[in-house]
Amino acid sequence: MESRLSSRVRNITPSATVSMDAKTKAYMREGQPVINMSVGEPDFDTPVAVAFAGMQAIADGYTRYTPAAGSLDLRRAVARKLMTENQLSYAPEQIVLSSGAKHSLYYVFLCLCDPGDEVIFPAPYWVSYPEQIRLAGAVPVIVSCDERTGFKMTPDQLEAAITPKTKAVLLNSPSNPTGAVYSEEELRALGEVLLRHDVYLVTDEIYERLVYGVEHKSLPALVPELLSRSIVVNGFSKAFAMTGWRLGYVAAPPDIAKALTSLQSHASGSPSTISQHAALVAFDSFDPAMVHEFERRRDTLVAGLDALPGITCVLPDGAFYAFPNVSGLFGKTFHGSGPHSGKVLETADEVCEALLESEWVSTVPGGAFGSPQNIRLSYAVSYEEVEEALERIGRFVKSLK
């Protein structure tokens, strides 16, 4: 037997963010003073009303299966939310709840894609997009973007990437890892391109509430002609600090929603009943103070990074990540402590490793996001940790000669 594993899983690249978080937590268990800026998880507690709703669900015996697409009450609530907040008209029957937005996205690609189909998305991108697309048998078509366009795909780039094999275009706004937010004008321009081609639009809006001085817009609301082939993915993890509750949702055309439900019924059944009951009160429990605190941390972190020699950082408009370009550090020799001392740093991976092992600041190299010149830092840590991290990064940069 040549291999005990299928080619499908042999070719998967492990999630860099999950891997770095695991490595970081191992150091923390050893007692090392690590500041963990690698993980995309709010450091706030789940709102009290949401937590109590979950506990009440358990006490009231809501611990059995719901329908595969999720409870009708929550699907109705999601449909109301999409109409009132996003100006998107979806019936409850077009909503499918899953165990997290990551889960939702994977099912979407499985339902849409046949082998050889192409899915277009811009880089930098969330680490799981290409792997999920490949697992569905499709081909990731990556459009490279950088600081010159604010890490956003232009209409000309999108037009050039579309081929007869294109099945879908995937957008993530606000973006992980860059925090880029497409403006209304930019979205309309992309929509005009999509109107000329018979392809699906998948829009990942998980960070929609975490924006700073700008407004989140959903492309199919701006170009309603696209609604019949638009799939909106969202969830409760980021805005409501419910990462461990594992609950996301898809809003899709009726035939796709039906296919998603059928697939989920065989693959995982329904999402957690307890989480669904808790989520019923989440939409009324959002705390804008979380956004203000993230913005305060963002401003301090980006200004501090941008002031360091060899580092430049675009101010993100959303999410809770900074994505500095560290290519100005490449070719310099690290003279700090740890196993990398005396080593010439040639890549963002080596920068991240040396920074972690010398100053105990955990970040993620940008190659995992399709941008090898950058690194990602999450400011979903306390303000005091942001300040301390900047001091440590400053010492690290100073040690490079």
Side-chain angles (χ1 to χ4, degrees), residues 237-366:
S237 61
K238 310 300 183 181
F240 306 105
M242 294 177 67
T243 50
W245 296 78
R246 306 313 303 135
L247 191 62
Y249 58 86
V250 177
D255 57 332
I256 296 174
K258 184 177 179 180
L260 287 165
T261 301
S262 180
L263 173 62
Q264 181 159 280
S265 72
H266 293 291
S268 59
S270 59
S272 163
T273 303
I274 298 158
S275 297
Q276 292 182 65
H277 275 269
L280 280 168
V281 303
F283 291 129
D284 297 321
S285 303
F286 177 68
D287 186 1
M290 180 170 67
V291 178
H292 297 317
E293 176 58 21
F294 277 143
E295 185 173 16
R296 184 169 79 111
R297 299 172 190 176
R298 176 203 69 161
D299 291 346
T300 296
L301 178 62
V302 172
L305 290 171
D306 215 28
L308 294 173
I311 297 178
T312 58
C313 191
V314 173
L315 187 71
D317 287 326
F320 41 67
Y321 309 105
F323 199 60
N325 187 312
V326 297
S327 61
L329 306 180
F330 298 171
K332 296 187 176 182
T333 303
F334 173 57
H335 294 284
S337 59
H340 281 76
S341 185
K343 180 179 178 63
V344 178
L345 303 181
E346 301 288 356
T347 66
D349 293 69
E350 292 174 348
V351 170
C352 288
E353 290 168 5
L355 178 59
L356 175 59
E357 293 168 1
S358 64
E359 294 290 349
W360 303 113
V361 177
S362 177
T363 60
V364 185

Side-chain angles (χ1 to χ4, degrees), residues 3 19 22 31 45 56 84 87 92 111-112 119 130 147 160 170 218 220 231 234 257 285 313 323 361 366 375 395 400:
S3 174
S19 298
D45 291 331
Q56 191 65 51
T84 57
Q87 294 74 56
C111 285
L112 288 184
V119 179
E147 290 88 347
L170 169 63
S218 185
I231 300 162
N234 208 324
S285 303
C313 191
F323 199 60
V361 177
I375 66 174
R395 284 198 302 267
L400 302 179

Side-chain angles (χ1 to χ4, degrees), residues 114-337:
D114 285 318
D117 285 343
E118 296 176 348
V119 179
I120 297 168
F121 55 94
Y125 48 75
W126 180 50
V127 295
S128 291
Y129 290 151
E131 301 307 322
Q132 290 185 339
I133 291 164
R134 290 188 185 102
L135 283 168
V139 179
V141 176
I142 299 168
V143 176
S144 295
C145 306
D146 57 26
E147 290 88 347
R148 291 171 293 181
T149 62
F151 296 114
K152 291 180 276 190
M153 180 169 59
T154 68
D156 288 343
Q157 287 178 309
L158 174 57
E159 184 72 62
I162 294 175
T163 75
K165 294 183 178 180
T166 302
K167 191 63 174 285
V169 174
L170 169 63
L171 288 181
N172 175 211
S173 177
S175 163
N176 173 8
T178 67
V181 179
Y182 286 82
S183 69
E184 181 173 334
E185 181 181 5
E186 290 166 335
L187 289 172
R188 287 186 186 278
L190 293 174
E192 289 300 316
V193 175
L194 293 174
L195 285 174
R196 296 194 291 270
H197 301 276
D198 186 21
V199 299
Y200 287 102
L201 168 67
V202 181
T203 175
D204 178 356
E205 304 184 7
I206 190 68
Y207 293 97
E208 64 167 348
R209 291 177 184 252
L210 304 180
V211 290
Y212 317 106
V214 298
E215 189 176 359
H216 165 77
K217 294 288 185 179
S218 185
L219 197 163
L222 298 173
V223 188
E225 300 93 325
L226 292 173
L227 191 62
S228 64
R229 46 190 169 104
S230 293
I231 300 162
V232 178
V233 179
N234 208 324
F236 297 86
S237 61
K238 310 300 183 181
F240 306 105
M242 294 177 67
T243 50
W245 296 78
R246 306 313 303 135
L247 191 62
Y249 58 86
V250 177
D255 57 332
I256 296 174
K258 184 177 179 180
L260 287 165
T261 301
S262 180
L263 173 62
Q264 181 159 280
S265 72
H266 293 291
S268 59
S270 59
S272 163
T273 303
I274 298 158
S275 297
Q276 292 182 65
H277 275 269
L280 280 168
V281 303
F283 291 129
D284 297 321
S285 303
F286 177 68
D287 186 1
M290 180 170 67
V291 178
H292 297 317
E293 176 58 21
F294 277 143
E295 185 173 16
R296 184 169 79 111
R297 299 172 190 176
R298 176 203 69 161
D299 291 346
T300 296
L301 178 62
V302 172
L305 290 171
D306 215 28
L308 294 173
I311 297 178
T312 58
C313 191
V314 173
L315 187 71
D317 287 326
F320 41 67
Y321 309 105
F323 199 60
N325 187 312
V326 297
S327 61
L329 306 180
F330 298 171
K332 296 187 176 182
T333 303
F334 173 57
H335 294 284
S337 59

